Amino acid sequence: MLRRIAIGLFMASASGWGASAQAADAATTVIVFDGSGSMWGRMGTNDKDTKFAVAREAIRRALPKLAPHTRVGLAAFGHRRKADCNDTEIVLTPEPLEPDRIMAPLEKFNPKGKGPLVAAMREAASALSKVAGASSIVLIHDDPDNCSQDPCAAAEDLAKISPKLAIHVISIGLSKSDSQRMACVPRITGGRYFDTQDAASLGVAIEDALKLASLETKPPAAGTSVAAEAKPLEIAPPPPPVPVEDTSPPGLKLSATLGPGGPAVLVPLSWKVQRVSNPEGTPPIAATKSATLDVALAPGSYVVDVQHGLVAARQTVEVKAKGKTRLAVVLQAGAVRLSANLQKGMPPLEQAVFAIFEAATAQSQPRAVWTGGADAPPVFLPIGNYRVSGMFDRAKAERNIVVTPGAMIDLPLALGAGRLRVKAVDKDAGPALDRVTFRVTEDDADSADGRREVARSAAAEPEFTLSAGTYYLTARYGQVELRERVLVNAGDDVVRTLLLPISRLALQSRLAGSAAVLDSNVSYRIERLDAKQDAIQTLRAAPKLEMPAGRYRIESQLGGQNARVTREIEIKPGVPATLVLDHTAANIQLKVGGDGARSPLGDVAWDVRDAQDRSVWQTVQAEPRAFLNPGRYKVVAESRSRRGRAEIEVKAGEVRVVEVTME
């Protein structure tokens, strides 16, 4: 994706970016298809099919007739988003002819947006900039560019940068004036113009244009005809152009380069033009965002400002009295295309993120000037020193770069990392476990326990990207924990399956003499007896626990008082166990008796103390109920003005109401 986006940004020189040069004996073409919303229209009252459908079917018929070694690509515009003048895309890079490959994306097209025709034409030209043999563009459209771009100016730029590139234009149902506007493109580039007004002529035009594109030399100039099965033509070089006086109205034709003498920058730039004599703060005479600017101006002195991201330049220019004054503004900048991979030579990582910092000085710390993802276009930077950081997951790499005027730096960052993919399974039962917490740690002398956590995940089968090194992988499932040492080398794809020794323990509590399992008001404390392990507690009435095999002390508490029972159990590896704890507690309810039950006392505070005079139950409820272990107790009740006490003996399984008389 990064390469596809980057292609559309520059018409690179032979030493710049681009695909490897193709064999000189294979013609290469890119079909630029109009995906704007108007392509759903019909060509005339007698045509039932839409312009989009007619053009697509004509391409389907024409492709099998091309020379088999022809390299064909596909570009489009206006096909993904509404009202977006940046909606252009190299859908398929040029490859040896496979009709089905070209037709597959066209079958899914849904025309919907604006018509950035010129931007798409420039992007397709960029994709062809390093083709050594004959190259061409077949542009199929139904309206002029409606994004304020001049197709003729673009054709002039492309003819200078890529003199071997021919552009054939197939216009669908254009008015006479619009047709004249578009005819300049093939005339300037040595292509052929097809003005079609019905479905039949459109089909013939597409077939003829693609045949021209498949020729192994640059096609003849506009107006010449080509036989259906044309052979390579021998064309004499054109005579040198005769200088023609520019009689157009005065104005400026502006473009920009990264450095002196470099290729034109073909990304949208922010342009502002102002008279030198106008006061500071006066609105500019011209302001737009485009790769180039062609504006009519009265003769005089002007200041041109151009900006793209971090890069800005200003230049003063004198507009002559006749014709357009051309100016290539030098940005004094470079561009950096970023990518990252796990190890040198491996595929780029699509989810990598990057940051660019200004180099630190004695007076300042590094300052981030740009951040972005792997799908970002190349970054324009003023000349200077920078530090580039790339990160993917937990892996990171940094490089220092020097940006010089005109530099186009391709910077793949090798993270020196590998992938660790893990899962945990039950050692005895075998199924994959989905409630496991995985932790990845590494040695760290500065940490209290000598380890530092670098990653954690609760996914069933997580994947970690880690810098090369030694790590400790821990999997925890319930109370079962397993640790394993893992070595990750750069470029490795390490897979670990951890076999957890899980034993399952089910706990239940009952009242003595009852078969019913208590479903509330029960809590448990589990303590390991044969190994150092923190005790655990649970408030679930009938929990099912995953435990390591071993000996345990289990305490069940009924309510919040002293109704407790303790048992010890040995859990064997892989053998499910159930432990039922029977409580001999009594169910006791307290209430005020005598005349205190008939007269208002206000709040009553209860305190129940055991035979050792330890408080086991305190409450301010009016008539509280609780479970108590068998034994003797002293019950004290107090209000603001009265006090009562009673001594009771509680028996196992007893259900009893205790009345206390207030004095």
Side-chain angles (χ1 to χ4, degrees):
M1 183 181 295
L2 182 61
R3 292 182 181 276
R4 182 180 296 169
I5 295 172
I7 282 173
L9 299 182
F10 298 102
M11 287 296 296
S13 63
S15 61
W17 298 332
S20 300
Q22 308 299 332
D25 60 349
T28 305
T29 190
V30 172
I31 301 170
V32 178
F33 197 90
D34 188 344
S36 62
S38 59
M39 286 291 283
W40 282 118
R42 304 186 189 280
M43 296 189 66
T45 57
N46 296 326
D47 289 322
K48 297 181 180 180
D49 292 328
T50 63
K51 291 177 277 188
F52 164 62
V54 173
R56 182 179 60 189
E57 293 310 307
I59 294 173
R60 190 194 308 277
R61 293 192 302 271
L63 288 174
K65 300 177 183 180
L66 302 184
H69 57 271
T70 306
R71 303 177 65 85
V72 183
L74 178 66
F77 59 92
H79 59 300
R80 296 175 296 185
R81 300 180 292 274
K82 294 183 178 181
D84 186 351
C85 284
N86 293 317
D87 186 11
T88 64
E89 180 186 14
I90 300 294
V91 180
L92 297 171
T93 56
E95 297 290 346
L97 177 61
E98 292 182 19
D100 290 345
R101 173 176 174 265
I102 302 299
M103 294 309 303
L106 287 176
E107 299 289 357
K108 302 176 183 178
F109 267 31
N110 180 21
K112 64 179 63 176
K114 297 194 72 165
L117 176 153
V118 171
M121 190 168 66
R122 291 181 183 274
E123 189 168 2
S126 294
L128 294 165
S129 61
K130 294 302 295 284
V131 172
S135 63
S136 61
I137 292 172
V138 175
L139 171 62
I140 303 170
H141 76 109
D142 75 332
D143 267 326
D145 188 295
N146 57 9
C147 290
S148 304
Q149 297 293 302
D150 183 352
C152 298
E156 289 178 357
D157 292 339
L158 296 177
K160 293 176 182 177
I161 298 170
S162 299
K164 295 182 180 181
L165 175 68
I167 303 178
H168 309 294
V169 179
I170 302 168
S171 298
I172 306 174
L174 260 60
S175 65
K176 184 175 180 180
S177 59
D178 287 339
S179 180
Q180 290 173 346
R181 288 175 59 193
M182 290 303 302
C184 65
V185 174
R187 183 177 66 248
I188 293 170
T189 62
R192 182 174 172 184
Y193 185 66
F194 300 85
D195 184 7
T196 66
Q197 298 296 326
D198 54 47
S201 62
L202 175 57
V204 172
I206 288 177
E207 190 166 332
D208 286 351
L210 286 174
K211 286 178 181 177
L212 283 172
S214 69
L215 297 177
E216 296 178 355
T217 60
K218 185 169 179 177
T224 61
S225 61
V226 180
E229 299 296 336
K231 297 181 179 180
L233 301 178
E234 295 182 3
I235 302 175
V242 178
V244 178
E245 182 181 1
D246 187 353
T247 59
S248 61
L252 280 174
K253 290 179 74 70
L254 299 173
S255 61
T257 65
L258 291 175
V265 173
L266 298 184
V267 299
L269 306 169
S270 296
W271 297 94
K272 289 183 181 180
V273 180
Q274 183 62 280
R275 282 185 177 275
V276 171
S277 58
N278 284 354
E280 189 72 26
T282 303
I285 296 172
T288 189
K289 189 170 185 178
S290 60
T292 60
L293 177 60
D294 189 336
V295 58
L297 297 170
S301 297
Y302 293 86
V303 175
V304 176
D305 287 290
V306 59
Q307 182 176 2
H308 180 72
L310 303 170
V311 174
R314 167 174 285 197
Q315 192 163 338
T316 302
V317 60
E318 190 75 22
V319 174
K320 59 188 179 182
K322 290 184 179 181
K324 293 292 178 67
T325 301
R326 296 177 179 269
L327 174 65
V329 179
V330 179
L331 299 177
Q332 294 294 343
V336 182
R337 183 175 67 181
L338 299 172
S339 63
N341 49 40
L342 294 179
Q343 187 182 25
K344 185 176 180 180
M346 296 187 70
L349 300 165
E350 293 186 358
Q351 302 302 318
V353 294
F354 302 92
I356 299 178
F357 300 85
E358 287 181 337
T361 65
Q363 293 77 30
S364 66
Q365 294 297 315
R367 181 177 66 92
V369 296
W370 179 89
T371 58
D375 58 347
V379 186
F380 283 28
L381 295 171
I383 58 176
N385 298 325
Y386 298 89
R387 180 165 57 88
V388 180
S389 171
M391 180 179 294
F392 179 79
D393 202 357
R394 285 93 180 162
K396 183 179 180 181
E398 293 185 334
R399 288 269 300 277
N400 293 325
I401 60 171
V402 179
V403 176
T404 57
M408 291 184 286
I409 303 171
D410 199 345
L411 187 63
L413 292 171
L415 301 180
R419 288 189 175 93
L420 172 62
R421 293 184 290 162
V422 299
K423 67 177 179 179
V425 301
D426 187 325
K427 181 179 180 181
D428 297 302
L433 303 170
D434 61 358
R435 291 184 289 111
V436 182
T437 300
F438 296 95
R439 294 174 61 241
V440 180
T441 59
E442 64 180 357
D443 291 329
D444 184 358
D446 295 330
S447 298
D449 60 355
R451 300 275 175 83
R452 179 177 66 89
E453 182 175 304
V454 296
R456 178 189 290 255
S457 176
E461 297 186 22
E463 178 180 297
F464 305 102
T465 301
L466 304 167
S467 298
T470 300
Y471 297 90
Y472 304 91
L473 174 64
T474 302
R476 186 178 182 86
Y477 182 76
Q479 298 305 309
V480 181
E481 188 171 274
L482 183 66
R483 297 181 178 87
E484 191 171 300
R485 186 170 176 268
V486 180
L487 175 63
V488 178
N489 292 313
D492 277 357
D493 193 355
V494 181
V495 179
R496 284 286 186 275
T497 299
L498 279 69
L499 305 178
L500 299 185
I502 299 172
S503 297
R504 289 173 171 81
L505 173 64
L507 299 178
Q508 299 175 357
S509 292
R510 299 181 305 198
L511 287 175
S514 172
V517 175
L518 297 172
D519 60 3
S520 63
N521 212 22
V522 181
S523 62
Y524 297 92
R525 185 177 188 275
I526 300 100
E527 182 182 1
R528 184 80 180 265
L529 298 177
D530 57 355
K532 185 178 180 180
Q533 183 174 312
D534 292 339
I536 62 171
Q537 291 182 311
T538 176
L539 297 177
R540 289 180 289 167
K544 294 181 179 180
L545 307 172
E546 289 86 17
M547 312 284 292
R551 292 179 56 246
Y552 293 87
R553 178 183 292 115
I554 313 294
E555 179 185 87
S556 170
Q557 179 168 347
L558 186 58
Q561 292 72 46
N562 69 341
R564 298 185 182 90
V565 60
T566 302
R567 292 273 302 278
E568 292 186 4
I569 186 175
E570 182 174 357
I571 304 175
K572 297 181 179 180
V575 179
T578 298
L579 178 63
V580 179
L581 295 100
D582 291 316
H583 285 266
T584 59
N587 191 342
I588 303 300
Q589 183 179 12
L590 304 178
K591 61 189 305 185
V592 174
D595 64 348
R598 295 184 294 273
S599 60
L601 297 173
D603 292 335
V604 176
W606 299 91
D607 184 14
V608 179
R609 309 183 77 84
D610 64 11
Q612 287 75 39
D613 201 34
R614 293 174 301 196
S615 179
V616 296
W617 182 19
Q618 291 182 336
T619 180
V620 292
Q621 294 178 351
E623 295 184 354
R625 183 183 295 272
F627 291 99
L628 294 175
N629 272 342
R632 298 185 63 82
Y633 295 91
K634 180 170 61 177
V635 181
V636 177
E638 286 187 284
S639 68
R640 293 181 180 178
S641 59
R642 304 176 71 176
R643 176 185 175 91
R645 60 182 293 167
E647 291 190 1
I648 61 173
E649 184 173 356
V650 174
K651 298 179 181 180
E654 180 181 19
V655 178
R656 179 178 175 184
V657 176
V658 176
E659 291 189 358
V660 177
T661 301
M662 305 294 287
E663 298 176 355

